Amino acid sequence: MITLHCKLTFENERDKQKLIDLMREFSSCYRYAYNRLIEGHKRKDLKKHLQKVFNLNSRYCDDAIFKAQSLINSCKERGQNPKKVIFGGRKLFEKLKKKHINGIQKEKLQQKWEERRKGSLYSRGDKSKKGNLNTRIIFEEDSLKLRINTGERNWIVANIKRKVNRENDKWIQFIARLLEAEKTGKYFPYSVEIRQINGEIYAFISFEEEIPKEAIITKEEGIIGI
């Protein structure tokens, strides 16, 4: 699995705020789902319940459950107690509790903790939905954009900003695969996690790397075939 990141910018503050509000709603749903899974609730029943509690579509709710279950599994694999997880980060939480930290330093720590706790949106990839339904990369007017579902068939579009500094940058291969998928209709799934970091918005895109077919020598052709 490869994960690449890019910065997101917006044409207006209204769209950016819509995304921030959506990220807060999803983060709240994610924490809620995590606690319900710890209590023993089943995924199928929990998904229906989340749709009633949070202003999110079924796919976002399911992704919140998936992300929560992944964290639980990760804790168990590391021999940690899932019940003791602190969203936003234990280290940051412990620092904020220290009385000698105040002023600008405390404000920065508080912002960082709040962003980690509330500033996240996750959408799993789906091959049958052109790669990703809720957060889809699109080509528009010779530029790359991320179309984000904000609910009830409403969408906002963010500009994708990323510099390519070397020829073997995986980003080049990723975009080439997206362009090829647009032409052939043979899409591949890619997951997107949007995070708020120091007031800016970033997207982390994960996908399975395309493995080249092994080269074989054929006597009939007398050449190396793929």
Side-chain angles (χ1 to χ4, degrees):
M1 183 71 72
I2 293 176
T3 299
L4 304 173
H5 74 278
C6 58
K7 187 176 181 179
L8 301 180
T9 63
F10 303 84
E11 297 299 329
N12 55 71
E13 283 299 317
R14 183 181 66 255
D15 284 351
K16 182 178 180 180
Q17 189 57 50
K18 282 183 179 179
L19 176 57
I20 290 174
D21 292 341
L22 177 61
M23 292 164 73
R24 288 173 178 168
E25 186 77 358
F26 179 88
S27 297
S28 180
C29 180
Y30 165 52
R31 296 193 304 271
Y32 185 92
Y34 183 91
N35 290 324
R36 299 296 80 76
L37 288 172
I38 290 293
E39 293 171 356
H41 289 253
K42 300 299 181 182
R43 180 172 185 167
K44 184 178 180 181
D45 296 332
L46 182 55
K47 181 180 177 180
K48 294 179 181 178
H49 178 64
L50 292 178
Q51 288 179 257
K52 296 177 181 178
V53 176
F54 297 93
N55 186 29
L56 296 169
N57 63 34
S58 62
R59 192 172 287 262
Y60 276 137
C61 289
D62 199 38
D63 288 341
I65 297 171
F66 175 82
K67 193 167 184 280
Q69 186 62 62
S70 296
L71 179 56
I72 292 172
N73 294 343
S74 179
C75 287
K76 290 180 178 179
E77 289 171 3
R78 296 195 301 265
Q80 299 173 347
N81 187 348
K83 294 182 179 180
K84 293 186 177 181
V85 164
I86 294 179
F87 293 96
R90 180 175 294 277
K91 289 183 179 180
L92 282 174
F93 180 72
E94 294 296 336
K95 285 182 179 180
L96 284 169
K97 286 170 59 179
K98 294 179 180 179
K99 294 182 180 180
H100 69 275
I101 297 178
N102 50 43
I104 295 177
Q105 185 181 7
K106 186 170 184 178
E107 287 179 8
K108 288 183 178 180
L109 284 174
Q110 184 71 37
Q111 179 186 350
K112 190 174 183 179
W113 187 70
E114 289 285 344
E115 286 179 343
R116 287 189 179 182
R117 182 178 172 84
K118 301 178 180 179
S120 176
L121 176 68
Y122 176 73
S123 176
R124 273 182 298 167
D126 189 333
K127 183 179 180 179
S128 67
K129 302 297 182 182
K130 295 186 177 182
N132 195 305
L133 179 61
N134 277 333
T135 52
R136 181 181 299 165
I137 297 172
I138 59 175
F139 297 91
E140 189 176 280
E141 298 178 356
D142 297 325
S143 61
L144 206 57
K145 298 180 184 293
L146 185 66
R147 192 189 71 169
I148 304 163
N149 187 346
T150 57
E152 297 182 0
R153 295 185 177 276
N154 292 316
W155 309 82
I156 58 173
V157 177
N159 303 306
I160 293 177
K161 303 292 183 182
R162 191 184 194 280
K163 291 182 179 180
V164 177
N165 297 317
R166 59 186 188 278
E167 291 183 3
N168 61 345
D169 193 323
K170 296 290 186 182
W171 183 260
I172 299 174
Q173 300 172 25
F174 176 60
I175 300 305
R177 287 182 66 188
L178 288 177
L179 287 168
E180 184 66 19
E182 286 290 319
K183 293 178 182 178
T184 63
K186 296 180 180 179
Y187 295 94
F188 63 96
Y190 55 88
S191 297
V192 178
E193 182 164 14
I194 301 174
R195 302 178 198 165
Q196 187 174 18
I197 303 173
N198 296 327
E200 302 289 349
I201 308 294
Y202 295 87
F204 294 80
I205 304 163
S206 301
F207 59 96
E208 293 290 345
E209 186 173 17
E210 192 173 37
I211 301 174
K213 295 179 181 178
E214 292 185 6
I216 56 174
I217 298 176
T218 60
K219 292 182 179 179
E220 292 79 6
E221 300 295 336
I223 59 173
I224 295 179
I226 300 296

